[in-house]
Amino acid sequence: MGVYVLGIAGASGAPYARRVLEQMLVTGHDVKAVITDAGRKVLDVEDDLKLSGDTKADTPLILEWARAGEFSGNFELYHHKDVASPIASGSFPVDGMVVVPCSGGTLGRIAHGISNGLLERAADVCLKERRRLVLVSREMPLSLIHLRNMTAVTEAGAIVLPASPGFYHRPTRINDLIDMVAGRIIASLGIESSIMKPWLGPEPSSYLTNE
Ligand SMILES: Cc1cc2nc3c(=O)[nH]c(=O)nc-3n(C[C@H](O)[C@H](O)[C@H](O)COP(=O)(O)O)c2cc1C
């Protein structure tokens, strides 16, 4: 099974991060996680997950939040300032990284190689090692600076995956919307999961007439 880095930055979208983490673990992959200070703030505001920054104390809280029952993958949490951790080095093999949600600030720093903390450093490593990096940006509207930064990370090899669910699956619950984004994230990482529902087209009767 694979090893994936999960970065959580301070953009809106805590439920996406929860679902992605759950799916990575239940599908048997190991997860190395890092959360920015603003990411911790958003987890509290959006999902009542109160983390102290003490990685040992925070680990069981995060696993409980991810609600995946019996995991088969391993989970390890690193502090955002711990730039000496394994994922800060290209010599440590990982299969890919996702930043979900990804703030405009974090995306901009990744775009310019400014590794202020472990999350940005781990993303920088993925780019230099030509590994898969998925950035789930969440912002509206977008400034020219955001757009240029997205272009720069795309040119460097990252995948920008905006947290923008579609409605063609006819969602009826918030969880349907979350799964539409989480499923695309998981698929972009190359992980197989039942939450990714391929679009097979509409029912013919909904758009064809007998004329
Ligand atoms: C509740 C909350 C929601 C936020 N939502 C967003 C967002 O959707 N996109 C964004 O770029 N920044 C958002 N921000 C602002 C970022 O958290 C802020 O710019 C922060 O400095 C980003 O830090 P980081 O990139 O180190 O995580 C939000 C902040 C809070 C507290």
Side-chain angles (χ1 to χ4, degrees), residues 57-199:
D58 288 345
T59 295
L61 300 178
I62 292 172
L63 290 176
E64 193 184 332
W65 169 70
R67 292 198 292 250
E70 286 300 309
F71 299 125
S72 44
N74 295 309
F75 177 80
E76 205 162 352
L77 179 65
Y78 300 107
H79 194 278
H80 185 46
K81 292 292 167 208
D82 184 8
V83 288
S85 75
I87 58 172
S89 170
S91 65
F92 183 77
V94 302
D95 294 281
M97 173 173 179
V98 58
V99 185
V100 53
C102 186
S103 68
T106 288
L107 195 145
R109 288 188 292 278
I110 294 170
H112 295 275
I114 301 166
S115 299
N116 274 345
L118 179 60
L119 190 157
E120 295 134 14
R121 170 61 186 165
D124 199 34
V125 165
C126 277
L127 291 179
K128 82 183 175 73
E129 301 293 335
R130 310 297 194 269
R131 294 173 186 157
R132 201 173 311 214
L133 174 65
V134 179
L135 304 177
V136 183
S137 78
R138 213 300 320 177
E139 191 52 275
M140 64 166 76
L142 295 170
S143 72
L144 183 60
I145 293 168
H146 294 131
L147 292 166
R148 285 196 170 130
N149 287 340
M150 288 179 185
T151 301
V153 290
T154 303
E155 285 172 344
I159 296 170
V160 177
L161 192 158
S164 54
F167 289 82
Y168 47 93
H169 281 287
R170 304 281 186 104
T172 55
R173 307 167 307 149
I174 289 178
N175 282 348
D176 296 334
L177 297 171
I178 294 168
D179 276 6
M180 181 172 281
V181 173
R184 294 300 292 266
I185 295 167
I186 287 285
S188 293
L189 288 168
I191 295 174
E192 282 189 27
S193 154
S194 59
I195 69 165
M196 174 59 195
K197 302 266 189 302
W199 172 242

